Amino acid sequence: MHAQLSFLDGTFSLIHIPLDLYPTLLQPILRVLLPQKQSLDTPKTCPEDEIGGLTADEFQHVFLNISITPIECSVVCHSSWATHVFQPLIDKLPKDQAESISISTDTYMVLSVISAGLDAAGRVMELSSPLALAGVPIFFITTYYSDFILVPTKERETVVEALSTKGFQLSDQNNFINPSAYSYGSTPADTSPPGTPRPSNVTELQDRAFELLQKRNVKPYVAEGLELVQCSGREISQLAESFMHRASIGRKSSVTETEKPTWIDGVDPKLYTRLVSALVSQPRFLSITLAQDDPPSILLDKTLLPMFGDSLIGDMDSKLTPIFLDLVSLPFEVTGIVCGVAGRLVNEMQMTETAELCYLSTARASAVILPEEQAIRARGILEPIFNQSAEVTETTPATE
């Protein structure tokens, strides 16, 4: 089995929005979801193919994640959208509100992972462990079709070295190919600052991660009654061709042959209308991932399914349970959390049984997402590790 990794074009920012300010920031969230050139405060002379984070042919996002969870609203978008859409509105807010919203100081690169036939738990471990051992902080997002890893732009050389040491090979300027089967024996070169020893193996790394979480009083919890389903938007190539054909017939008198299509020409308008409706309703849980070459991936509260009608495909009968970690007390650059938490579950529950494990990193939180029965086992594993005396909280914790 091969795992292929590709760096997506552009640099990206992470935005943390407290839930009480979500309604205030809804307008820029929708502007990013529905990308138009006028949404960016760029010079009118800026060529359309230089609009930040949009594909040159269809003007759709190279990568975008919008997640509303019981802990926060989190947005991962191209840095130009963070600067020109979110920041101007944040600057107009009262000081205490503006300070509670955070945009990552560092920018991030996005690695797209294509691992056909490989179980999800194995992918999380195989990809997170060498980067964690190299001291690279990551954000991991599992979607319907692919996995995505966010790594700091400034750590590109370290990322390349760590993955190369693990067995990944640079097949061209942007892609890695891992020709070997999964194994966890190799350790990347130590690139830690002098006087700051790095963990020597995955077990030590996991132990340190849990020690840090315990020190910061981070406890796993589930939101009572919250069940998720992982879905995809339908393939819309035929729909897009039909739409563009009808549009070209109706606009021949006013549209020139050289006019470029907008993003709406390449998406399912019905799906986006329903996404907007769901976002406006301030859902309990909704995570939208748009990525170049993938149909939209949507992880959502199962109670939202009637809102989407026939716009989604997937196993609608599944029941996925998220186990949340509120990481608001930890800095963006903390390392080892993904590998520590997911890795311990992989080890304790056996990889073959955790094949459906999903992981969602948001700006200030993490969620391990498992089928209902496996989630019960996972909670039993995590509870004593985090807190020997406390039970897992069954209610939503206070946010920032």
Side-chain angles (χ1 to χ4, degrees), residues 148-162:
F148 297 93
I149 306 173
L150 277 69
V151 296
T153 305
K154 64 184 180 182
E155 300 284 0
R156 181 185 177 102
E157 292 184 4
T158 304
V159 170
V160 171
E161 180 181 355

Side-chain angles (χ1 to χ4, degrees), residues 129-136 155 158-159 162 188-192 198 205 335:
S129 57
L131 296 176
L133 287 167
V136 178
E155 300 284 0
T158 304
V159 170
D190 183 7
T191 57
S192 58
R198 291 241 170 86
L205 186 148
T335 63

